[in-house]
PDB file of all heavy atoms in Angstrom:
ATOM      1  N   ARG A 146       1.181  23.105  -7.508  1.00 62.00           N
ATOM      2  CA  ARG A 146       0.839  24.524  -7.552  1.00 62.00           C
ATOM      3  C   ARG A 146       1.609  25.184  -8.687  1.00 62.00           C
ATOM      4  O   ARG A 146       2.775  24.863  -8.914  1.00 62.00           O
ATOM      5  CB  ARG A 146       1.194  25.190  -6.233  1.00 62.00           C
ATOM      6  CG  ARG A 146       0.821  26.649  -6.198  1.00 62.00           C
ATOM      7  CD  ARG A 146       1.215  27.274  -4.887  1.00 62.00           C
ATOM      8  NE  ARG A 146       1.088  28.718  -5.009  1.00 62.00           N
ATOM      9  CZ  ARG A 146       0.455  29.470  -4.145  1.00 62.00           C
ATOM     10  NH1 ARG A 146      -0.101  28.940  -3.089  1.00 62.00           N
ATOM     11  NH2 ARG A 146       0.394  30.761  -4.314  1.00 62.00           N
ATOM     12  N   SER A 163      -5.982   7.219  -7.107  1.00 72.00           N
ATOM     13  CA  SER A 163      -7.172   6.380  -6.958  1.00 72.00           C
ATOM     14  C   SER A 163      -6.893   4.910  -7.260  1.00 72.00           C
ATOM     15  O   SER A 163      -7.771   4.071  -7.117  1.00 72.00           O
ATOM     16  CB  SER A 163      -8.285   6.879  -7.891  1.00 72.00           C
ATOM     17  OG  SER A 163      -8.677   8.182  -7.542  1.00 72.00           O
ATOM     18  N   LEU A 172      -5.805  16.325  -1.529  1.00 88.00           N
ATOM     19  CA  LEU A 172      -5.239  16.662  -2.836  1.00 88.00           C
ATOM     20  C   LEU A 172      -5.341  18.175  -3.022  1.00 88.00           C
ATOM     21  O   LEU A 172      -6.431  18.741  -3.002  1.00 88.00           O
ATOM     22  CB  LEU A 172      -5.995  15.918  -3.939  1.00 88.00           C
ATOM     23  CG  LEU A 172      -5.456  16.001  -5.354  1.00 88.00           C
ATOM     24  CD1 LEU A 172      -4.003  15.552  -5.429  1.00 88.00           C
ATOM     25  CD2 LEU A 172      -6.323  15.164  -6.287  1.00 88.00           C
ATOM     26  N   PHE A 173      -4.198  18.823  -3.162  1.00 88.00           N
ATOM     27  CA  PHE A 173      -4.116  20.275  -3.297  1.00 88.00           C
ATOM     28  C   PHE A 173      -3.755  20.622  -4.738  1.00 88.00           C
ATOM     29  O   PHE A 173      -2.636  20.358  -5.176  1.00 88.00           O
ATOM     30  CB  PHE A 173      -3.037  20.828  -2.352  1.00 88.00           C
ATOM     31  CG  PHE A 173      -3.300  20.569  -0.901  1.00 88.00           C
ATOM     32  CD1 PHE A 173      -2.881  19.388  -0.313  1.00 88.00           C
ATOM     33  CD2 PHE A 173      -3.977  21.496  -0.129  1.00 88.00           C
ATOM     34  CE1 PHE A 173      -3.118  19.132   1.035  1.00 88.00           C
ATOM     35  CE2 PHE A 173      -4.224  21.249   1.220  1.00 88.00           C
ATOM     36  CZ  PHE A 173      -3.796  20.073   1.799  1.00 88.00           C
ATOM     37  N   ASN A 177      -3.627  26.644 -10.346  1.00 85.00           N
ATOM     38  CA  ASN A 177      -3.124  25.875 -11.489  1.00 85.00           C
ATOM     39  C   ASN A 177      -3.847  26.128 -12.804  1.00 85.00           C
ATOM     40  O   ASN A 177      -3.637  25.399 -13.753  1.00 85.00           O
ATOM     41  CB  ASN A 177      -3.184  24.376 -11.170  1.00 85.00           C
ATOM     42  CG  ASN A 177      -2.023  23.949 -10.315  1.00 85.00           C
ATOM     43  OD1 ASN A 177      -0.883  24.119 -10.671  1.00 85.00           O
ATOM     44  ND2 ASN A 177      -2.326  23.420  -9.140  1.00 85.00           N
ATOM     45  N   LEU A 197      -9.969   9.725  -0.670  1.00 90.00           N
ATOM     46  CA  LEU A 197      -9.821  11.180  -0.658  1.00 90.00           C
ATOM     47  C   LEU A 197     -10.913  11.827   0.189  1.00 90.00           C
ATOM     48  O   LEU A 197     -12.095  11.587  -0.012  1.00 90.00           O
ATOM     49  CB  LEU A 197      -9.896  11.724  -2.087  1.00 90.00           C
ATOM     50  CG  LEU A 197      -9.492  13.182  -2.257  1.00 90.00           C
ATOM     51  CD1 LEU A 197      -7.993  13.350  -2.019  1.00 90.00           C
ATOM     52  CD2 LEU A 197      -9.858  13.672  -3.643  1.00 90.00           C
ATOM     53  N   ARG A 238     -25.298  30.482 -11.064  1.00 97.00           N
ATOM     54  CA  ARG A 238     -25.643  29.208 -11.715  1.00 97.00           C
ATOM     55  C   ARG A 238     -24.709  28.096 -11.243  1.00 97.00           C
ATOM     56  O   ARG A 238     -25.146  26.980 -10.939  1.00 97.00           O
ATOM     57  CB  ARG A 238     -25.578  29.354 -13.239  1.00 97.00           C
ATOM     58  CG  ARG A 238     -26.004  28.085 -13.985  1.00 97.00           C
ATOM     59  CD  ARG A 238     -26.045  28.302 -15.488  1.00 97.00           C
ATOM     60  NE  ARG A 238     -24.735  28.431 -16.089  1.00 97.00           N
ATOM     61  CZ  ARG A 238     -23.996  27.394 -16.521  1.00 97.00           C
ATOM     62  NH1 ARG A 238     -24.433  26.162 -16.397  1.00 97.00           N
ATOM     63  NH2 ARG A 238     -22.814  27.606 -17.073  1.00 97.00           N
ATOM     64  N   VAL A 240     -22.952  27.963  -8.403  1.00 97.00           N
ATOM     65  CA  VAL A 240     -23.230  27.650  -6.998  1.00 97.00           C
ATOM     66  C   VAL A 240     -24.470  26.777  -6.898  1.00 97.00           C
ATOM     67  O   VAL A 240     -24.498  25.802  -6.131  1.00 97.00           O
ATOM     68  CB  VAL A 240     -23.374  28.940  -6.157  1.00 97.00           C
ATOM     69  CG1 VAL A 240     -23.872  28.617  -4.761  1.00 97.00           C
ATOM     70  CG2 VAL A 240     -22.048  29.686  -6.095  1.00 97.00           C
ATOM     71  N   ASP A 241     -25.495  27.090  -7.691  1.00 97.00           N
ATOM     72  CA  ASP A 241     -26.705  26.265  -7.698  1.00 97.00           C
ATOM     73  C   ASP A 241     -26.393  24.828  -8.112  1.00 97.00           C
ATOM     74  O   ASP A 241     -26.953  23.877  -7.552  1.00 97.00           O
ATOM     75  CB  ASP A 241     -27.762  26.851  -8.635  1.00 97.00           C
ATOM     76  CG  ASP A 241     -28.383  28.136  -8.096  1.00 97.00           C
ATOM     77  OD1 ASP A 241     -28.241  28.419  -6.886  1.00 97.00           O
ATOM     78  OD2 ASP A 241     -29.002  28.861  -8.899  1.00 97.00           O
ATOM     79  N   ILE A 243     -23.538  23.251  -7.674  1.00 97.00           N
ATOM     80  CA  ILE A 243     -22.841  22.630  -6.539  1.00 97.00           C
ATOM     81  C   ILE A 243     -23.843  22.240  -5.458  1.00 97.00           C
ATOM     82  O   ILE A 243     -23.800  21.133  -4.921  1.00 97.00           O
ATOM     83  CB  ILE A 243     -21.747  23.571  -5.994  1.00 97.00           C
ATOM     84  CG1 ILE A 243     -20.601  23.681  -7.013  1.00 97.00           C
ATOM     85  CG2 ILE A 243     -21.234  23.094  -4.641  1.00 97.00           C
ATOM     86  CD1 ILE A 243     -19.560  24.726  -6.684  1.00 97.00           C
ATOM     87  N   GLY A 260     -14.518  34.498  -2.873  1.00 96.00           N
ATOM     88  CA  GLY A 260     -13.914  35.099  -4.058  1.00 96.00           C
ATOM     89  C   GLY A 260     -14.529  34.757  -5.380  1.00 96.00           C
ATOM     90  O   GLY A 260     -13.921  34.973  -6.423  1.00 96.00           O
TER      91      GLY A 260
END
Side-chain angles (χ1 to χ4, degrees):
R146 182 181 168 130
S163 297
L172 187 55
F173 299 87
N177 280 302
L197 191 69
R238 183 175 71 88
V240 171
D241 289 344
I243 290 172

